[in-house]
Amino acid sequence: MADDGFPIRTALRDEIFDLFENNPMGVAIMRHIPDDAGVLTARRVYANDALRRMFGAPSLDIFLARPVLDSWVDEVELQKVNQAFASRSPLLSFEVERIRFDGSLFWISMTGQPFDLAGDKLTVVWHLDITGRKQAEMDLREREAQLRDFVDSSVDWFWEMDANLRFTYMSDNVERIVGVSPEWHYGKTREDLLGPDFDRSIWSDHLETLKAHKPYRDFIFFRVGEGMEKKWLSSSGKPIFAEDGTFLGYRGTGTDVTEQFENQEL
């Protein structure tokens, strides 16, 4: 629907007007007017019904009459958009939280393009409701934070090797457990971690298991090295393969079992 003081319907070609009217995305045509202080005020001179429904307005007339500022959570963000439109710059996928008529909040992505119509400088703005995606992103961040908290408080740490059996990842809590940072491990093989003087009679079978790309569970070893606390550790690993069978590396866990061994010795 068009503002009564601005003949959108007669100024736009029928096919363009129909494109706006029947579009599933919310479409608005905006005019930006500076006040005496130079602050820009945005006014909708057209909105399609999809945009009205998106904001939950009871009618298009009421929606067009509502001040644009009333639908913005952050006035600073609104001024950013107004400045872009006033300078005749396009706006691409600008994501922002907005306010519906019932007061609830939702997220939209806005894309705007300036154009001239009947001698007036306007901006057509396309609105896409992205609330579902934003909520999924927030849920994912929350789950990731929960997982990090769980890992940090766990007695286990997680690790990954590449196809060359070099460590590429260690969870952050490995430093708390074994006294060496995750980064210290990166690029090293299991043999590199052991140093030149390791007991091959203990390690040979395990190293062959790794080279054969086989799973293993609860391999227990005594870890000692320069700057490291002496500990009994347990490791379990699962080989990872691509769909075509190509070996990609290992994922696994490590556990500090020193206390168990010390109790057995007592």
Side-chain angles (χ1 to χ4, degrees):
M1 180 176 179
D3 180 271
D4 289 340
F6 191 81
I8 292 285
R9 183 66 182 88
T10 56
L12 289 173
R13 296 200 306 270
D14 288 345
E15 59 268 27
I16 297 178
F17 187 82
D18 289 344
L19 172 65
F20 290 168
E21 284 286 283
N22 301 317
N23 202 287
M25 293 180 66
V27 181
I29 294 178
M30 312 294 296
R31 180 189 286 125
H32 294 82
I33 305 172
D35 60 17
D36 293 339
V39 177
L40 292 169
T41 298
R43 183 183 176 214
R44 299 184 188 95
V45 295
Y46 166 84
N48 68 354
D49 197 58
L51 189 62
R52 176 198 68 80
R53 295 194 305 272
M54 190 181 297
F55 280 86
S59 71
L60 276 170
D61 288 336
I62 293 174
F63 182 54
L64 289 172
R66 185 191 192 191
V68 173
L69 178 60
D70 291 353
S71 68
W72 282 73
V73 175
D74 188 341
E75 187 174 353
V76 174
E77 294 294 288
L78 172 58
Q79 286 304 315
K80 289 180 183 177
V81 172
N82 287 344
Q83 291 291 347
F85 291 159
S87 65
R88 315 305 291 158
S89 300
L91 185 73
L92 300 177
S93 302
F94 184 79
E95 297 182 358
V96 66
E97 198 171 23
R98 301 287 294 274
I99 307 172
R100 295 190 180 95
F101 266 66
D102 63 4
S104 62
L105 303 180
F106 72 113
W107 283 86
I108 62 173
S109 175
M110 301 170 57
T111 295
Q113 179 63 50
F115 73 106
D116 294 340
L117 183 66
D120 205 349
K121 295 185 182 301
L122 305 169
T123 305
V124 58
V125 187
W126 305 83
H127 301 70
L128 178 65
D129 189 335
I130 58 172
T131 306
R133 174 171 67 78
K134 280 290 186 178
Q135 186 60 54
E137 291 173 354
M138 287 186 287
D139 291 345
L140 178 60
R141 286 195 295 270
E142 183 178 354
R143 289 194 296 271
E144 289 175 342
Q146 291 172 341
L147 178 59
R148 285 194 299 271
D149 291 342
F150 173 77
V151 169
D152 288 344
S153 62
S154 174
V155 296
D156 296 339
W157 69 91
F158 301 93
W159 54 265
E160 292 182 0
M161 287 178 173
D162 62 18
N164 295 316
L165 302 179
R166 296 185 179 277
F167 286 101
T168 58
Y169 171 78
M170 288 274 178
S171 56
D172 290 341
N173 62 332
V174 70
E175 186 167 8
R176 173 176 58 82
I177 298 171
V178 302
V180 183
S181 71
E183 293 76 14
W184 182 86
H185 298 81
Y186 298 161
K188 296 182 174 69
T189 65
R190 182 77 77 183
E191 291 181 75
D192 291 335
L193 299 184
L194 298 174
D197 300 325
F198 68 91
D199 188 341
R200 293 190 177 274
S201 65
I202 297 175
W203 282 90
S204 59
D205 288 345
H206 176 68
L207 296 177
E208 288 302 318
T209 296
L210 294 177
K211 293 176 182 178
H213 308 157
K214 295 180 180 180
Y216 67 93
R217 188 172 185 84
D218 297 329
F219 174 71
I220 296 174
F221 58 97
F222 187 65
R223 176 165 173 171
V224 62
E226 184 178 352
M228 290 187 288
E229 185 179 350
K230 297 179 180 180
K231 286 182 176 291
W232 284 98
L233 304 177
S234 174
S235 178
S236 298
K238 176 182 178 181
I240 306 301
F241 298 93
E243 291 185 3
D244 62 1
T246 301
F247 175 67
L248 301 178
Y250 272 91
R251 293 193 188 112
T253 61
T255 307
D256 181 358
V257 293
T258 304
E259 186 175 348
Q260 299 175 28
F261 271 77
E262 289 177 346
N263 290 337
Q264 288 177 12
E265 291 177 0
L266 294 176

